[in-house]
Amino acid sequence: MNSDDDGLWAGDRQQPLTISDVAKAAGVGESTVSRVLRGKGSVSDEARERVLAAAKHLGYVPNRIAGTLASAGSKLVALVIPSVTNIVFADVLSGAAPILNGLGHQAVFAVTDYDQELEEELIESMLAWRPSGLIVAGVEHSGRSVSMMRGAGIRIAEILDTDSPGLDIVVGYSNLEAGRMSARFLASRGRRKIGYVGHDLQRDRRAAKRHEGFCQTLLGLGLHLADAEILPSLSSIELGRDGLAALLDRSPDLDAVYFANDDLAIGGLFHCMAHGIAVPERLALMGYNGLDVARLAPRPLSTIRTPRRLIGEMAAKLVCSREPSGVYDVGLELIEGATV
Amino acid sequence: MNSDDDGLWAGDRQQPLTISDVAKAAGVGESTVSRVLRGKGSVSDEARERVLAAAKHLGYVPNRIAGTLASAGSKLVALVIPSVTNIVFADVLSGAAPILNGLGHQAVFAVTDYDQELEEELIESMLAWRPSGLIVAGVEHSGRSVSMMRGAGIRIAEILDTDSPGLDIVVGYSNLEAGRMSARFLASRGRRKIGYVGHDLQRDRRAAKRHEGFCQTLLGLGLHLADAEILPSLSSIELGRDGLAALLDRSPDLDAVYFANDDLAIGGLFHCMAHGIAVPERLALMGYNGLDVARLAPRPLSTIRTPRRLIGEMAAKLVCSREPSGVYDVGLELIEGATV
DNA sequence: TCACCCAATGGCAGCGCTGCCAATAGCCAG
DNA sequence: CTGGCTATTGGCAGCGCTGCCATTGGGTGA
């Protein structure tokens, strides 16, 4: 009997267990063990039980690396996202991970930090694991990224943006339309001197599209962006607070501000609360994403809710499926809130 | 010449490229290709260039599955965490992922949803990928989880809790001490009728330890928890808001409330702001974690900052190193804020 | 000049598993 | 009874790569 229960420390380990150890212990062939462990092919109940007992007794954990190599079909799905701390992507992950596990897959992920070159590099390292699918944020990628993804021969899901054509599966919503909705909403509430607070639009292409849609629609309504504060770094509550302060400093007569997202907008709202600026009477604020913190703030933020978790779930499901290529638009929901 | 640049769609793919295709194209042996691609062993400059050119021309992406199987040393590191949407773990991931990538590793992750049975299952699937290291939240695991981790013969880092002994590497801080600090702080500011709002302590063991430390210290100071609202689900801003409302409804004379974490505390703060409860004059609020949103709220929250990103970074580094087993305590920082 | 050493290289076994095929045994209709 | 089936099983090649070993072709010091 293997005194496996105690006394071992990381590192001191006998040689690794293989399927043939289990086969020997159970008195069957390797193929039978494999069949039992994968639940494929026909095995007698007796053999099955013997194998299961032996595997449990030995503490055998199958080696998926070997299994994948032998069977060509990997059970890994790669996720390439710009950030984990941004709740948007965390929500996507939290939607995708359980679905993938439920389908017997494992999630591998990498964080691009909104950098297209890094994205390219990371896509390459991900593909080296021969995943069965790849989920990647956005539809805009470097040329080499695109050819690698095409050449990989696997399902690709591009998420969170439906404004440009995708390679295979696209799950998301129109950022352009989100910008337009926001402009229409502010205008319909009588706002005329509208400002914008956003972060680096070069890197965050989806925010750039919202900005574009917003400006388009304003122009169509005979309005225009009165002022804009574009901050050089990534979005955060702090940036929104300071950005709004700077914007109002320069253009004190604005009657509304559109933020690139809820993080920034919450920062703006906090600024107003701390400085006694009446929201929405004197200044309307509008965000984007529909975060919890925005909904639950003392004054609920006007924003647009994006079904991020759902996007993660759908992308995970689709990437493991044989559904046809195409665009899956999950839509957007305007949250009127109380800041406009 | 391979017209590889366009016209391919996911799915229609010639047979996969292998190292021997590259070898043939470059007119060298497979071993040489392998040496070039891994930068190991000596290769003439001429051969190196030929190989690199051939690989690039063919669009070859090495197969890490095969490489791992052949070399026994995997380049995967597994992360098992309770949640991704909880910023705490997202921060850990965002600290760990870049470090792992920098060391040539890939991160695989799984989400336990604070469920020890699921954790056990997920640890098993993770180990099936023969990772070179495993990072797991907390130091309390099921017996089978423990023996699997011990038996895996890899580095294990247990994070975010140093209150119980670990298997190999432990990176975190004392949750007990965090609870004690909070109790001392509230007491030192003259608070005497102290309540608690928390979530399911059965599932979140670290929150339970803070609660324990908090109560201990109160007793040591001749005080005690006047009332507690334990909510059955996971923490969220909403839960904190509703929890505080319920608590005050029952015990309107409390002069301070300790929350299991900042999410709940922010919810509490929002409740107070929306209902005109003067903070901290009439009611002091104390959270835990030091989130951005807490620091930047109109009234900065009194809380304890946990260096989560750093923990992710350290765990990643240590798990890939040969440093001795041990406890790495990163400490805690009391943020006085303005709600106590 | 010769024995020796070393950089550079190719060949090939084998990592642990799965897919395929052949072998065996039991069973039933003819 | 016998051939034909099916259910069950074991053997073994091979997935693509790396580790190890053998080989080659020069340098080098004595």
Side-chain angles (χ1 to χ4, degrees), chain A residues 66-333:
Chain A
T68 301
L69 183 62
S71 67
S74 135
K75 289 287 189 180
L76 286 174
V77 169
L79 289 144
V80 177
I81 52 179
S83 154
V84 223
T85 40
N86 185 328
I87 295 267
V88 171
F89 303 105
D91 280 339
V92 169
L93 286 188
S94 77
I99 299 280
L100 293 176
N101 278 311
L103 294 168
H105 286 73
Q106 227 62 237
V108 208
F109 79 102
V111 178
T112 68
D113 199 24
Y114 294 92
D115 178 336
Q116 234 184 41
E117 273 182 57
L118 222 200
E119 181 185 82
E120 182 178 307
E121 209 174 289
L122 291 172
I123 287 178
E124 179 164 15
S125 357
M126 297 274 96
L127 291 180
W129 290 101
R130 298 293 186 271
S132 61
L134 172 66
I135 297 175
V136 54
V139 288
E140 295 175 7
H141 315 284
S142 76
R144 203 165 84 84
S145 294
V146 168
S147 41
M148 285 192 297
M149 290 192 281
R150 281 195 176 154
I154 59 175
R155 293 313 299 256
I156 308 285
E158 293 166 281
I159 59 174
L160 297 168
D161 188 1
T162 59
D163 288 318
S164 311
L167 292 169
D168 180 11
I169 296 161
V170 177
V171 188
Y173 41 74
S174 165
N175 284 278
L176 274 172
E177 179 55 23
R180 292 191 201 112
M181 281 168 74
S182 304
R184 282 195 297 267
F185 181 58
L186 286 173
S188 76
R189 293 291 175 98
R191 304 294 166 165
R192 290 299 174 262
K193 298 220 50 171
I194 305 178
Y196 175 82
V197 174
H199 53 288
D200 191 342
L201 297 180
Q202 238 21 64
R203 298 172 78 189
D204 188 339
R205 301 299 304 148
R206 291 176 289 286
K209 287 177 182 177
R210 296 194 292 276
H211 177 260
E212 189 189 331
F214 188 80
C215 292
Q216 264 179 15
T217 296
L218 282 191
L219 289 177
L221 294 167
L223 297 169
H224 67 278
L225 212 52
D227 194 1
E229 177 75 14
I230 306 277
L231 303 144
S233 54
L234 288 176
S235 93
S236 70
I237 295 176
E238 192 161 17
L239 214 64
R241 189 190 63 181
D242 299 348
L244 181 59
L247 187 72
L248 290 180
D249 210 41
R250 203 163 54 224
S251 308
D253 56 340
L254 294 175
D255 64 8
V257 175
Y258 177 48
F259 292 84
N261 64 36
D262 276 2
D263 291 299
L264 295 169
I266 287 292
L269 179 58
F270 284 173
H271 173 80
C272 292
M273 293 173 72
H275 292 262
I277 301 172
V279 174
E281 294 76 13
R282 165 148 144 43
L283 186 70
L285 304 179
M286 171 123 209
Y288 174 79
N289 262 335
L291 303 189
D292 273 2
V293 64
R295 175 169 57 91
L296 297 161
R299 182 159 288 276
L301 187 67
S302 300
T303 184
I304 290 177
R305 180 178 301 146
T306 54
R308 306 172 294 275
R309 198 187 173 87
L310 174 66
I311 290 174
E313 292 170 354
M314 288 181 62
K317 219 170 292 176
L318 288 164
V319 107
C320 296
S321 78
R322 304 179 148 278
E323 297 294 315
S325 299
V327 176
Y328 296 78
D329 195 319
V330 294
L332 294 166
E333 185 192 354

Side-chain angles (χ1 to χ4, degrees), chain B residues 65-78:
Chain B
I65 296 282
T68 300
L69 182 61
S71 66
S74 136
K75 289 287 188 182
L76 286 174
V77 169

Side-chain angles (χ1 to χ4, degrees), chain A residues 19 34 38 60 66 70:
Chain A
I19 210 173
S34 174
R38 277 177 304 143
Y60 171 71

